[in-house]
Amino acid sequence: MIYFLNAIIDRIKAYVVYSKTRAELAQLDDRSLSDLGFQRGEIEFIARKAAETN
């Protein structure tokens, strides 16, 4: 049971990181994203990777 609850908590934490990362990157203009080395089309991928690593 504890394993199940921990898995749910981990998924929620990952979703929060994903949502926050995606929202913050989406607010940047194309120039700022370029300065970071990203393109607008990569935001989804970057947000997913950020959620996986946390």
Side-chain angles (χ1 to χ4, degrees), residues 31-48:
R31 171 87 186 226
S32 297
L33 286 171
S34 178
D35 288 346
L36 294 171
F38 305 134
Q39 295 178 355
R40 187 153 305 278
E42 296 176 299
I43 290 175
E44 188 79 22
F45 175 77
I46 295 164
R48 287 179 194 258

Side-chain angles (χ1 to χ4, degrees), residues 5-20:
L5 293 175
N6 284 338
I8 291 174
I9 291 169
D10 288 344
R11 296 278 292 188
I12 292 170
K13 286 179 182 178
Y15 180 76
V16 169
V17 170
Y18 163 79
S19 296
K20 206 171 188 184

